[in-house]
Amino acid sequence: MSLLSIRDLHATVGGNEILKGINLEIGPGEIHAVMGPNGSGKSTLSYVLAGREGYEVTRGTIAFKGKDLIDLAADERANEGVFLAFQYPVEVPGVVGMTFLREAYNAKLRYLGKQEIDAMEFLKFVRSRAKTLNMSDDMLKRAVNVGFSGGEKKRNEILQMAVLEPDLAILDETDSGLDIDALKLVSDGVNELRSENRSMLIITHYQRLLNYIQPDHVHVLAHGKIQRSGGKELALELEAKGYAEFSEEAA
Amino acid sequence: MALQPVAKLPFEGLIADARSHKLGKWHSKLSERALEQYAEIGWPGPKTESWKYTSLNKIASGTFSLAREYSAIVPEDMIMPLTCPRLVLVNGVLNKELSNLEQLIGNLSITSLVDIEDHQKTFFDDLFKSEESKGDLPLTYLNTAILSDAVMLEITEGSKCELPLHIISIGSGNGITFAPRLIVNVGIGAKVDFIESHVGCSDSVYFSNSVTQLYLGDNSEVGHYKLQNDSRDSSHISLTRAVIDDGASYDNFTMSVGAKLSRNEVRAHLKGSGVECCINGAYLGAADQHIDNTTFIEHQAEGSSSREVFKGVLDDTARGVFQGKILVHPEAQKTDGYQMNRAMLLSDKAEIDSKPELEIYADDVRCSHGATVGELEDELIFYLCARGIDRESARRMLIGAYISDAIDEVKNIDIRSSIQSVAENWLKQNLYEK
């Protein structure tokens, strides 16, 4: 059974239809990459999956672990195990990183009917995860993302993912704005989190991220629909030929 | 609709009443003089520049009588949550039974006007006079004219008070007015922290016209923290005036959450050089509350610094006013002044009026000011929700963080966390999505 099953998904933003019938099946442990030109609906897809307000599903279904996601609020989806790593992580002034992580972690425990975690135990747990991503204690003591560099923000996203241990991680343009060292660090962090129980949906414009995080399947999204699917060699082909063929189809 | 006629001089009728009331002959003279000054300036109206954004019409046209009851039950859930010695005023009069001053050490003396003979009161004369020569403060004159008591705290030279002192002013009764008056005299090199909690008994509706005046001796260190949590349908108008000598430091913070109409006016006169003065505050308003914070910082001597950080959150049709004036005299070279007011509006109908004003006559100074107004961004809320935090909690966290930025300015750590808990309670009680 698929972990995530998207069927004939149509969605509008501000009255404009952006997604026009997406079909996508992601099995447990699989890594799928969705590639496409700018404006193809890639980020819309990630927001629709994460449950952002203003992104309205007009037709189709999204089943996650057999449950209908569409009726769940964003926080409920997160607690069910959907994680979105933001393309532009938001600065959260005044909310300390460690506090933020603990609130999120405990929210999930409460949702699952479990007892909240002891603060010291949690601190140790977070530190062990932060170490892999080369994040200092100081970064965890600061307000979330405030004054962070682009690379630090992306690492912080991956740290949150490592702590919240989702079943499905959606990585929205995680490579954007990263230099080669930061890209490597972030990719190592992501690869560390690969497991047979964790699926990933990697949304990217460029192929280069896929050199570091190898996908099982690659899909091309254009004009609100998946136009082609294939293995990782499809990414290389796109890298060589560009997206021209998909924009011609529109014309 | 015909406007209700506003008395030429509101509360005039109560003044004669007040004279024969509690303080005897000595007060009669003082009160007469105060009435003259009050009459000369008159009640602040829409054309009074410093009251442009805050209308006192409702108070002027209301019917009030003088409070005559001076006992009440302390509303523990309204005051600043702190365990320390207390001094309780009920309707402006010191209530010793409710006060608890045993833990205070001998270097702090407390004198109530009610307790002393007329001939001893002459000492207070000068204090009142010096206060009233300061000009355009009609409500301060009114306070003097209708006093029922005044409490003076003196901290002797060089003494360090380990425990803060909590002054609780309780309003109790309907349709009453009262005039709390505090005088704080801090000796050279002394150190003290005190808190004012202004609260009301449940359902009481009153007009509290409060004045606190402070004198900070050379090199003294004073923390002065106030919670305005008066009954929801009441009015709170207050003036805090601090005169600060060489090398002293004054840390002032006002947390305003109560009353329907409130004004916290803080005036700091930096008479000495090398003074460090912080006038900070936070305000949280919902429903039809009106919260005014007006500050005036006067730099008179060289090398002093002042800092102001105000933050507010306004929901529903609540309205906030911030007026901040910094005056730098020609001799006040090397002045360092900073002022910032930030407000977050949670509803389309909430409003903030911000008026910074710098008047600088010295050439070698550094002064800056700013004001911002914003709303809670959906993107931020979504970010927290996408991590599993529900919308309500997310809003509370974000707004709490916004406000705590100002509360973090409070230097006394225990009091800082007390103020923090007042803010959190307010958020729990008032923030639900409509």
mmCIF file of all heavy atoms in Angstrom, chain B residues 382-404:
data_model
loop_
_atom_site.group_PDB
_atom_site.id
_atom_site.type_symbol
_atom_site.label_atom_id
_atom_site.label_comp_id
_atom_site.label_asym_id
_atom_site.label_seq_id
_atom_site.Cartn_x
_atom_site.Cartn_y
_atom_site.Cartn_z
ATOM 1 N N PHE B 382 1.435 29.680 9.997
ATOM 2 C CA PHE B 382 1.496 28.423 9.239
ATOM 3 C C PHE B 382 2.787 27.667 9.537
ATOM 4 O O PHE B 382 2.790 26.440 9.641
ATOM 5 C CB PHE B 382 1.372 28.698 7.734
ATOM 6 C CG PHE B 382 1.558 27.471 6.894
ATOM 7 C CD1 PHE B 382 0.680 26.391 7.023
ATOM 8 C CD2 PHE B 382 2.607 27.364 6.000
ATOM 9 C CE1 PHE B 382 0.855 25.238 6.268
ATOM 10 C CE2 PHE B 382 2.791 26.215 5.242
ATOM 11 C CZ PHE B 382 1.908 25.149 5.381
ATOM 12 N N TYR B 383 3.871 28.395 9.687
ATOM 13 C CA TYR B 383 5.157 27.740 9.970
ATOM 14 C C TYR B 383 5.070 26.917 11.256
ATOM 15 O O TYR B 383 5.517 25.778 11.314
ATOM 16 C CB TYR B 383 6.260 28.798 10.070
ATOM 17 C CG TYR B 383 7.659 28.233 10.146
ATOM 18 C CD1 TYR B 383 8.200 27.518 9.080
ATOM 19 C CD2 TYR B 383 8.445 28.403 11.282
ATOM 20 C CE1 TYR B 383 9.482 27.000 9.137
ATOM 21 C CE2 TYR B 383 9.737 27.897 11.354
ATOM 22 C CZ TYR B 383 10.252 27.193 10.274
ATOM 23 O OH TYR B 383 11.525 26.681 10.330
ATOM 24 N N LEU B 384 4.452 27.501 12.282
ATOM 25 C CA LEU B 384 4.310 26.782 13.554
ATOM 26 C C LEU B 384 3.321 25.610 13.421
ATOM 27 O O LEU B 384 3.559 24.534 13.944
ATOM 28 C CB LEU B 384 3.861 27.733 14.671
ATOM 29 C CG LEU B 384 4.992 28.407 15.458
ATOM 30 C CD1 LEU B 384 5.835 29.307 14.586
ATOM 31 C CD2 LEU B 384 4.447 29.177 16.643
ATOM 32 N N CYS B 385 2.223 25.865 12.685
ATOM 33 C CA CYS B 385 1.238 24.787 12.487
ATOM 34 C C CYS B 385 1.861 23.614 11.732
ATOM 35 O O CYS B 385 1.584 22.455 12.032
ATOM 36 C CB CYS B 385 0.018 25.301 11.725
ATOM 37 S SG CYS B 385 -0.979 26.466 12.660
ATOM 38 N N ALA B 386 2.713 23.940 10.769
ATOM 39 C CA ALA B 386 3.348 22.891 9.973
ATOM 40 C C ALA B 386 4.307 22.052 10.820
ATOM 41 O O ALA B 386 4.803 21.023 10.374
ATOM 42 C CB ALA B 386 4.095 23.497 8.786
ATOM 43 N N ARG B 387 4.560 22.507 12.047
ATOM 44 C CA ARG B 387 5.385 21.717 12.972
ATOM 45 C C ARG B 387 4.526 21.042 14.035
ATOM 46 O O ARG B 387 5.039 20.601 15.069
ATOM 47 C CB ARG B 387 6.456 22.606 13.615
ATOM 48 C CG ARG B 387 7.455 23.209 12.628
ATOM 49 C CD ARG B 387 8.299 22.138 11.952
ATOM 50 N NE ARG B 387 9.137 22.688 10.899
ATOM 51 C CZ ARG B 387 8.863 22.590 9.594
ATOM 52 N NH1 ARG B 387 7.780 21.960 9.182
ATOM 53 N NH2 ARG B 387 9.689 23.096 8.706
ATOM 54 N N GLY B 388 3.210 21.080 13.838
ATOM 55 C CA GLY B 388 2.325 20.325 14.735
ATOM 56 C C GLY B 388 1.681 21.149 15.835
ATOM 57 O O GLY B 388 0.944 20.627 16.659
ATOM 58 N N ILE B 389 1.990 22.452 15.866
ATOM 59 C CA ILE B 389 1.430 23.303 16.924
ATOM 60 C C ILE B 389 0.081 23.842 16.436
ATOM 61 O O ILE B 389 -0.012 24.370 15.328
ATOM 62 C CB ILE B 389 2.417 24.442 17.247
ATOM 63 C CG1 ILE B 389 3.736 23.830 17.753
ATOM 64 C CG2 ILE B 389 1.829 25.409 18.255
ATOM 65 C CD1 ILE B 389 4.911 24.781 17.776
ATOM 66 N N ASP B 390 -0.959 23.708 17.254
ATOM 67 C CA ASP B 390 -2.272 24.134 16.762
ATOM 68 C C ASP B 390 -2.341 25.659 16.675
ATOM 69 O O ASP B 390 -1.553 26.368 17.301
ATOM 70 C CB ASP B 390 -3.394 23.587 17.654
ATOM 71 C CG ASP B 390 -3.357 24.183 19.034
ATOM 72 O OD1 ASP B 390 -3.958 25.255 19.235
ATOM 73 O OD2 ASP B 390 -2.686 23.597 19.924
ATOM 74 N N ARG B 391 -3.272 26.128 15.903
ATOM 75 C CA ARG B 391 -3.368 27.547 15.555
ATOM 76 C C ARG B 391 -3.470 28.458 16.772
ATOM 77 O O ARG B 391 -2.798 29.485 16.861
ATOM 78 C CB ARG B 391 -4.601 27.746 14.666
ATOM 79 C CG ARG B 391 -4.354 28.637 13.510
ATOM 80 C CD ARG B 391 -5.588 28.814 12.675
ATOM 81 N NE ARG B 391 -5.740 30.241 12.421
ATOM 82 C CZ ARG B 391 -5.083 30.900 11.474
ATOM 83 N NH1 ARG B 391 -4.255 30.273 10.672
ATOM 84 N NH2 ARG B 391 -5.251 32.192 11.322
ATOM 85 N N GLU B 392 -4.285 28.053 17.729
ATOM 86 C CA GLU B 392 -4.450 28.877 18.930
ATOM 87 C C GLU B 392 -3.143 29.003 19.701
ATOM 88 O O GLU B 392 -2.745 30.083 20.109
ATOM 89 C CB GLU B 392 -5.532 28.272 19.835
ATOM 90 C CG GLU B 392 -6.928 28.668 19.473
ATOM 91 C CD GLU B 392 -7.072 30.172 19.313
ATOM 92 O OE1 GLU B 392 -6.712 30.933 20.228
ATOM 93 O OE2 GLU B 392 -7.528 30.579 18.236
ATOM 94 N N SER B 393 -2.505 27.866 19.897
ATOM 95 C CA SER B 393 -1.236 27.886 20.622
ATOM 96 C C SER B 393 -0.192 28.671 19.858
ATOM 97 O O SER B 393 0.627 29.378 20.442
ATOM 98 C CB SER B 393 -0.720 26.466 20.866
ATOM 99 O OG SER B 393 -1.700 25.688 21.469
ATOM 100 N N ALA B 394 -0.221 28.522 18.533
ATOM 101 C CA ALA B 394 0.743 29.234 17.698
ATOM 102 C C ALA B 394 0.575 30.741 17.861
ATOM 103 O O ALA B 394 1.549 31.472 18.053
ATOM 104 C CB ALA B 394 0.573 28.833 16.234
ATOM 105 N N ARG B 395 -0.679 31.176 17.817
ATOM 106 C CA ARG B 395 -0.936 32.608 18.001
ATOM 107 C C ARG B 395 -0.456 33.091 19.368
ATOM 108 O O ARG B 395 0.191 34.122 19.491
ATOM 109 C CB ARG B 395 -2.446 32.889 17.859
ATOM 110 C CG ARG B 395 -2.882 33.170 16.435
ATOM 111 C CD ARG B 395 -4.396 33.079 16.301
ATOM 112 N NE ARG B 395 -5.111 34.004 17.167
ATOM 113 C CZ ARG B 395 -5.459 35.247 16.838
ATOM 114 N NH1 ARG B 395 -5.143 35.719 15.661
ATOM 115 N NH2 ARG B 395 -6.126 36.008 17.674
ATOM 116 N N ARG B 396 -0.783 32.292 20.383
ATOM 117 C CA ARG B 396 -0.368 32.673 21.738
ATOM 118 C C ARG B 396 1.154 32.744 21.865
ATOM 119 O O ARG B 396 1.706 33.659 22.460
ATOM 120 C CB ARG B 396 -0.909 31.683 22.763
ATOM 121 C CG ARG B 396 -2.238 32.077 23.352
ATOM 122 C CD ARG B 396 -2.411 31.534 24.753
ATOM 123 N NE ARG B 396 -2.286 30.081 24.798
ATOM 124 C CZ ARG B 396 -3.292 29.259 24.521
ATOM 125 N NH1 ARG B 396 -4.470 29.741 24.191
ATOM 126 N NH2 ARG B 396 -3.122 27.966 24.582
ATOM 127 N N MET B 397 1.818 31.753 21.270
ATOM 128 C CA MET B 397 3.287 31.742 21.335
ATOM 129 C C MET B 397 3.883 32.962 20.661
ATOM 130 O O MET B 397 4.784 33.613 21.180
ATOM 131 C CB MET B 397 3.825 30.503 20.601
ATOM 132 C CG MET B 397 4.120 29.323 21.480
ATOM 133 S SD MET B 397 4.669 27.936 20.448
ATOM 134 C CE MET B 397 6.433 28.195 20.512
ATOM 135 N N LEU B 398 3.362 33.260 19.475
ATOM 136 C CA LEU B 398 3.935 34.351 18.688
ATOM 137 C C LEU B 398 3.660 35.710 19.322
ATOM 138 O O LEU B 398 4.541 36.566 19.389
ATOM 139 C CB LEU B 398 3.386 34.308 17.257
ATOM 140 C CG LEU B 398 3.831 33.100 16.447
ATOM 141 C CD1 LEU B 398 3.027 32.989 15.153
ATOM 142 C CD2 LEU B 398 5.320 33.162 16.141
ATOM 143 N N ILE B 399 2.443 35.884 19.818
ATOM 144 C CA ILE B 399 2.108 37.170 20.437
ATOM 145 C C ILE B 399 2.839 37.305 21.772
ATOM 146 O O ILE B 399 3.356 38.363 22.114
ATOM 147 C CB ILE B 399 0.578 37.305 20.603
ATOM 148 C CG1 ILE B 399 -0.072 37.315 19.224
ATOM 149 C CG2 ILE B 399 0.224 38.573 21.362
ATOM 150 C CD1 ILE B 399 -1.564 37.113 19.240
ATOM 151 N N GLY B 400 2.907 36.189 22.487
ATOM 152 C CA GLY B 400 3.654 36.190 23.749
ATOM 153 C C GLY B 400 5.114 36.560 23.518
ATOM 154 O O GLY B 400 5.695 37.352 24.256
ATOM 155 N N ALA B 401 5.692 36.015 22.458
ATOM 156 C CA ALA B 401 7.095 36.304 22.143
ATOM 157 C C ALA B 401 7.261 37.773 21.772
ATOM 158 O O ALA B 401 8.244 38.420 22.148
ATOM 159 C CB ALA B 401 7.571 35.419 20.996
ATOM 160 N N TYR B 402 6.282 38.279 21.059
ATOM 161 C CA TYR B 402 6.317 39.680 20.632
ATOM 162 C C TYR B 402 6.361 40.604 21.853
ATOM 163 O O TYR B 402 7.195 41.494 21.959
ATOM 164 C CB TYR B 402 5.066 39.947 19.796
ATOM 165 C CG TYR B 402 4.945 41.342 19.242
ATOM 166 C CD1 TYR B 402 5.617 41.687 18.076
ATOM 167 C CD2 TYR B 402 4.161 42.292 19.873
ATOM 168 C CE1 TYR B 402 5.502 42.967 17.558
ATOM 169 C CE2 TYR B 402 4.037 43.569 19.360
ATOM 170 C CZ TYR B 402 4.708 43.901 18.190
ATOM 171 O OH TYR B 402 4.593 45.168 17.676
ATOM 172 N N ILE B 403 5.469 40.334 22.793
ATOM 173 C CA ILE B 403 5.383 41.169 23.990
ATOM 174 C C ILE B 403 6.589 40.973 24.908
ATOM 175 O O ILE B 403 7.099 41.917 25.513
ATOM 176 C CB ILE B 403 4.059 40.838 24.738
ATOM 177 C CG1 ILE B 403 2.915 41.633 24.098
ATOM 178 C CG2 ILE B 403 4.117 41.142 26.208
ATOM 179 C CD1 ILE B 403 3.036 43.129 24.234
ATOM 180 N N SER B 404 7.086 39.737 24.990
ATOM 181 C CA SER B 404 8.163 39.481 25.952
ATOM 182 C C SER B 404 9.438 40.224 25.580
ATOM 183 O O SER B 404 10.292 40.495 26.417
ATOM 184 C CB SER B 404 8.415 37.986 26.119
ATOM 185 O OG SER B 404 8.823 37.439 24.917
#
